[in-house]
Amino acid sequence: MQAFIDFLNGVIWSPALIYLCLGAGLFYSILTRFAQVRHFKEMCSLLFNSNESDKGISSFQALAVSLSGRVGTGNIAGVAAAIGFGGPGAIFWMWVVAFLGASTAYAESTLGQLYKVSENGQYRGGPAYYFERCLGWRWLGVLFALSSILACGVFLPGIQANSVGNAVTQIFGEGVIVSSSFGDVGSTKLVALAVILVVLAFIIFGGIKRIANFTQIIVPFMALGYIVMALIVVFLNLDKVPGIFGMIFSDAFTAQAGFGAAIGWGVKRGVYSNEAGQGTGPHAAAAAEVQHPAQQGLVQAFSVYVDTLFICTATALMILITQQYNIQGSLADGQFIVQNVDPSTIIASPAFTQMALASVFGNSGPIFVGVALFFFAFTTILAYYYIAETNVAYLRRALNINVSLTFVKLLIMFMVAYGTVNTAGYIWNLGDVGVGLMAWLNIVGIIMIFFMAKPTMKALRDYEDQKAAGVTDYTFNPKALGIKGAEFWEKRYDKQQAEKAADK
């Protein structure tokens, strides 16, 4: 199984996908005239629009739900893996992916809003929905739905749970060793798993509203706390900061671990962390109650900045400033290009980050990382559940099959348990397969949508025109813009016009 997963990973994460991710970001950046820069102020102001309804959540709640999916182990353990295998230059390529990926996030999240549906008292949408409604390709919608259920329901939850288990063990030790069918497991990890499963069950059985209410409190609080800790490390070592940035930029092109390793690990972990183009963000974006589809697209573009430019950079600076990292050379010979810490330290884990904070804050540093990782990973599992549930709902309608959502909940909980007690390397490889499959399907799909219909560009121009005209209450008429298949927005516009006529 391990050999097969490694082979599949090599095929999916070939250089073609890496260049496709970068190319799609550049493509939409140019088309939108770098909306991720031009509308930065607008992104921030839209965060505080409160349009929550009985069917939809607010823009900020949708941002929190999508951030809960973006902000996870990729920000702590993933950044460490990027440095450990790709060198400091990998961080530069993570930045590039984030900057370009913000435009991809705008495009896919706007599509999520455009082609969402109202179903059983809540909004649902995502790539499966816009592939069917915009392209008319139900087969692609079904394929993406199956891939996302496989990724978010099976592969990805284990990564988050595995990192939590490792972090707790790093803080409290293994505890009493217990034999199981998965091998020897420490009692500390088993206790952590029990807590995760109980809280997880309570929240996911409450639906998107409970998930949104939980994440809108936890995600901003933990993200801000994590960044503050990083800033303290930076301010205590201000004299080292220019050299660190110089090393990141120089190593990006003359990489210690090789140029291919730097860009490969930087892009892979960048895509894994910020999820731009992966197709996960549009699910939360579709659940938001907004006046215009482009608004939530811009909000989701901002979430990429929060994830990579803020939180991932915070992790990278802490690790590099304190020099608590190794750089792995050839995996075959097991040699290190740079060795600053114990060679037995697991690279694809939170260990580098924990050691970095321990070097500044003592024993409280790793504890904070463990707590942050617990909440980051836990909220990410919630986001994965919502994505899996949404795509199961799509398959139920598209294929007229009756699959219980309770089964999805139990599947997520089983994979969390499985991931917690398994080794990190195997679990990370499974996650890479899931991310890669979704990215391939979604990026190819949204590029095809542009050439066939250009709905995201039409929506952006319409929003910019209304904004320039000083509109305060935005409307959206897809028929007037030549956008087909946006039935939700067609009905909303017709209802608005009918209400205006009745008031006269």
Side-chain angles (χ1 to χ4, degrees), residues 114 292-293 453-463 465-466 475-484:
L114 274 171
H292 195 285
K454 301 180 178 63
T456 53
M457 299 307 303
K458 293 175 181 178
L460 181 61
R461 284 196 295 269
D462 180 63
Y463 183 70
D465 290 344
Q466 291 189 53
T475 58
F476 184 71
N477 183 2
K479 289 183 179 179
L481 298 174
I483 298 175
K484 298 179 180 179

Side-chain angles (χ1 to χ4, degrees), residues 50-68:
S50 180
N51 295 316
E52 184 180 0
S53 68
D54 291 337
K55 293 184 179 180
I57 58 180
S58 70
S59 288
F60 183 78
Q61 287 176 322
L63 174 72
V65 173
S66 69
L67 271 176
S68 69

Side-chain angles (χ1 to χ4, degrees), residues 24 27-33 106-108 111 114-115 130-131 134-135 137 442-461:
F27 179 74
Y28 271 105
S29 292
I30 293 172
L31 290 174
T32 61
R33 293 179 295 124
Y106 161 77
E108 63 181 1
L111 288 171
L114 274 171
Y115 298 103
Y130 54 70
F131 290 157
C134 181
L135 294 175
W137 295 351
N442 187 59
I443 293 176
V444 171
I446 63 175
I447 291 176
M448 289 297 299
I449 285 174
F450 169 79
F451 285 111
M452 294 180 68
K454 301 180 178 63
T456 53
M457 299 307 303
K458 293 175 181 178
L460 181 61
R461 284 196 295 269

Side-chain angles (χ1 to χ4, degrees), residues 57-182:
I57 58 180
S58 70
S59 288
F60 183 78
Q61 287 176 322
L63 174 72
V65 173
S66 69
L67 271 176
S68 69
R70 299 183 198 277
V71 178
T73 59
N75 301 86
I76 299 177
V79 172
I83 294 173
F85 292 118
I91 303 305
F92 172 82
W93 293 107
M94 291 184 75
W95 292 339
V96 171
V97 169
F99 176 72
L100 297 178
S103 65
T104 311
Y106 161 77
E108 63 181 1
S109 296
T110 300
L111 288 171
Q113 265 290 328
L114 274 171
Y115 298 103
K116 70 182 181 181
V117 300
S118 179
E119 186 176 83
N120 297 325
Q122 63 179 299
Y123 298 143
R124 292 194 186 277
Y129 291 83
Y130 54 70
F131 290 157
E132 177 182 337
R133 292 173 174 270
C134 181
L135 294 175
W137 295 351
R138 177 174 289 186
W139 63 269
L140 186 58
V142 170
L143 186 58
F144 182 89
L146 290 172
S147 298
S148 63
I149 293 169
L150 193 64
C152 296
V154 180
F155 293 158
L156 296 173
I159 294 176
Q160 307 299 325
N162 183 269
S163 293
V164 170
N166 288 339
V168 172
T169 300
Q170 182 92 1
I171 297 170
F172 300 107
E174 291 282 355
V176 178
I177 302 299
V178 179
S179 296
S180 72
S181 57
F182 299 111

Side-chain angles (χ1 to χ4, degrees), residues 93-420:
W93 293 107
M94 291 184 75
W95 292 339
V96 171
V97 169
F99 176 72
L100 297 178
S103 65
T104 311
Y106 161 77
E108 63 181 1
S109 296
T110 300
L111 288 171
Q113 265 290 328
L114 274 171
Y115 298 103
K116 70 182 181 181
V117 300
S118 179
E119 186 176 83
N120 297 325
Q122 63 179 299
Y123 298 143
R124 292 194 186 277
Y129 291 83
Y130 54 70
F131 290 157
E132 177 182 337
R133 292 173 174 270
C134 181
L135 294 175
W137 295 351
R138 177 174 289 186
W139 63 269
L140 186 58
V142 170
L143 186 58
F144 182 89
L146 290 172
S147 298
S148 63
I149 293 169
L150 193 64
C152 296
V154 180
F155 293 158
L156 296 173
I159 294 176
Q160 307 299 325
N162 183 269
S163 293
V164 170
N166 288 339
V168 172
T169 300
Q170 182 92 1
I171 297 170
F172 300 107
E174 291 282 355
V176 178
I177 302 299
V178 179
S179 296
S180 72
S181 57
F182 299 111
D184 293 337
V185 183
S187 59
T188 303
K189 187 176 287 188
L190 293 176
V191 170
L193 173 60
V195 173
I196 294 171
L197 291 178
V198 170
V199 180
L200 177 63
F202 172 76
I203 296 176
I204 64 177
F205 277 91
I208 182 59
K209 288 285 187 178
R210 190 173 293 175
I211 293 172
N213 289 332
F214 181 81
T215 56
Q216 75 172 341
I217 296 173
I218 295 298
V219 172
F221 175 76
M222 291 308 302
L224 182 60
Y226 190 73
I227 292 172
V228 167
M229 292 285 282
L231 288 174
I232 293 174
V233 175
V234 169
F235 286 133
L236 291 175
N237 297 274
L238 276 177
D239 57 318
K240 298 179 181 178
V241 173
I244 294 300
F245 278 98
M247 180 171 61
I248 290 173
F249 285 110
S250 64
D251 195 61
F253 300 98
T254 58
Q256 298 176 66
F259 179 70
I263 188 172
W265 278 94
V267 172
K268 181 186 290 189
R269 288 298 159 224
V271 171
Y272 183 84
S273 175
N274 65 52
E275 301 186 5
Q278 184 180 317
T280 53
H283 298 89
E289 184 74 73
V290 292
Q291 294 180 346
H292 195 285
Q295 291 178 319
Q296 196 59 33
L298 292 173
V299 169
Q300 297 300 332
F302 182 76
S303 71
V304 175
Y305 287 157
V306 174
D307 173 89
T308 303
L309 298 186
F310 297 163
I311 300 178
C312 284
T313 299
T315 300
L317 289 178
M318 287 190 291
I319 292 173
L320 295 174
I321 285 174
T322 59
Q323 296 186 326
Q324 298 296 309
Y325 65 94
N326 295 328
I327 300 178
Q328 175 78 57
S330 170
L331 293 178
D333 59 26
Q335 298 299 309
F336 290 98
I337 298 171
V338 174
Q339 183 180 331
N340 295 320
V341 298
D342 187 338
S344 65
T345 303
I346 300 174
I347 292 177
S349 76
F352 288 170
T353 312
Q354 289 177 313
M355 290 189 293
L357 282 174
S359 69
V360 176
F361 298 102
N363 292 334
S364 60
I367 293 175
F368 180 82
V369 173
V371 172
L373 189 57
F374 178 90
F375 283 106
F376 284 172
F378 181 76
T379 53
T380 300
I381 293 170
L382 295 177
Y384 289 156
Y385 162 73
Y386 178 66
I387 293 166
E389 178 196 274
T390 298
N391 284 281
V392 168
Y394 171 82
L395 290 179
R396 291 171 66 178
R397 182 186 58 81
L399 301 181
N400 194 26
I401 56 176
N402 187 20
V403 178
S404 172
L405 294 180
T406 301
F407 171 76
V408 183
K409 296 176 175 69
L410 295 176
L411 177 63
I412 288 280
M413 295 174 70
F414 172 79
M415 292 311 301
V416 166
Y418 178 81
T420 302

